[in-house]
């Protein structure tokens, strides 16, 4: 079996994966298909002042499918709603090399092991402090320490710019 890249409509990758797996089982073609992989990594985001674990697509609009290349399997994959095509030509789909497959699988594995928090703001952005002794102050993001979930904000106190170190949950973008 070889790995092939299947192009889908962006945002419908999960649904296409589910439909493809159901179709494989319904057509009793499991012997011709291996894994259907949605390359994604786990991230932690701040939503409504709470940390939420989420998945981020590594390659939006693409799935990696392990299958035996044949007219029958190609017809099944292309018949799934949301699939635009299998990468390659119409007559000959282009399989991934072993190095490419290894690279994609390593990326997925690293992304699942380490869910790094994603800052809801950028350096230089204006934010409002919502908690702590500086609540109500407005400042500018100077530095983002994502691995520690901390942000350094420059606020003006008594007419002087002062850096304060805050948690992601203590500030919100304006």
């Amino acid at each position: 079996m070889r790995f092939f890249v299947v192009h889908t409509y962006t945002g419908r990758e999960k649904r296409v994966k589910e439909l493809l797996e159901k179709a494989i089982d319904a057509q009793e073609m499991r012997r011709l298909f291996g894994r259907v992989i949605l390359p994604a990594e786990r991230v932690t985001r701040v939503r409504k002042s709470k940390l939420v674990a989420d998945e981020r697509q590594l390659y939006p609009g693409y799935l990696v499918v392990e299958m035996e290349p044949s007219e029958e399997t190609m017809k099944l994959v292309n018949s799934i709603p949301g699939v635009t095509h299998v990468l390659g030509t119409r007559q000959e789909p282009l399989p991934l090399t072993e190095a490419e497959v290894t690279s994609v699988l390593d990326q997925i594995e690293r992304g699942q092991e380490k869910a790094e928090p994603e800052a809801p703001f950028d350096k230089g952005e204006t934010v409002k402090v919502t908690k702590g002794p500086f609540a109500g102050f407005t400042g500018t993001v100077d530095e983002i320490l994502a691995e520690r979930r901390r942000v350094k904000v420059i606020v003006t106190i008594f007419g002087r710019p002062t850096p304060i170190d805050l948690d992601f949950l203590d500030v919100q973008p304006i």
Side-chain angles (χ1 to χ4, degrees), residues 120-121 125-130 136-141 171-174:
F121 29 75
E125 186 175 348
T126 303
V127 293
K128 182 177 181 180
V129 180
T130 58
F137 280 75
T138 302
T140 306
V141 175
V171 295
Q172 68 183 44
I174 294 179

Side-chain angles (χ1 to χ4, degrees), residues 83-150:
V83 170
T84 59
H85 63 279
V86 177
L87 294 189
T89 64
R90 284 197 187 273
Q91 293 80 22
E92 189 67 32
L94 184 65
L96 293 174
T97 64
E98 288 299 319
E100 291 169 330
V101 171
T102 304
S103 172
V104 169
L105 294 177
D106 286 346
Q107 269 185 309
I108 294 169
E109 191 173 308
R110 281 194 311 268
Q112 296 303 320
E113 290 172 1
K114 182 180 174 187
E116 189 171 302
E118 190 175 85
F121 29 75
D122 299 317
K123 187 175 179 177
E125 186 175 348
T126 303
V127 293
K128 182 177 181 180
V129 180
T130 58
K131 295 181 185 171
F134 300 103
F137 280 75
T138 302
T140 306
V141 175
D142 183 48
E143 188 178 353
I144 298 171
L145 306 166
E147 62 279 349
R148 291 180 34 217
R149 294 189 184 122
R150 306 293 288 179

Side-chain angles (χ1 to χ4, degrees), residues 7-131:
H7 185 262
T8 68
Y9 293 123
T10 305
R12 295 198 186 160
E13 300 91 348
K14 284 184 183 178
R15 182 71 179 141
V16 168
K17 179 182 181 209
E18 292 170 4
L19 289 173
L20 180 58
E21 288 175 338
K22 285 181 184 176
I24 290 168
D25 291 336
Q27 298 285 331
E28 298 178 2
M29 297 177 72
R30 187 50 68 187
R31 70 189 185 292
L32 299 173
F33 285 89
R35 296 176 282 179
V36 178
I37 302 169
L38 175 60
E41 64 182 352
R42 287 187 353 199
V43 294
T44 305
R45 299 176 194 233
V46 178
R47 285 205 188 127
K48 296 182 182 177
S49 299
K50 294 193 184 207
L51 287 174
V52 178
D54 202 2
E55 276 194 349
R56 177 176 43 200
Q57 306 292 323
L58 292 174
Y59 306 108
Y62 295 95
L63 292 176
V64 178
V65 179
E66 185 179 22
M67 66 180 177
E68 290 292 336
S70 69
E71 190 174 320
E72 189 180 15
T73 57
M74 295 303 294
K75 192 174 184 181
L76 177 68
V77 170
N78 286 319
S79 71
I80 302 297
V83 170
T84 59
H85 63 279
V86 177
L87 294 189
T89 64
R90 284 197 187 273
Q91 293 80 22
E92 189 67 32
L94 184 65
L96 293 174
T97 64
E98 288 299 319
E100 291 169 330
V101 171
T102 304
S103 172
V104 169
L105 294 177
D106 286 346
Q107 269 185 309
I108 294 169
E109 191 173 308
R110 281 194 311 268
Q112 296 303 320
E113 290 172 1
K114 182 180 174 187
E116 189 171 302
E118 190 175 85
F121 29 75
D122 299 317
K123 187 175 179 177
E125 186 175 348
T126 303
V127 293
K128 182 177 181 180
V129 180
T130 58
K131 295 181 185 171

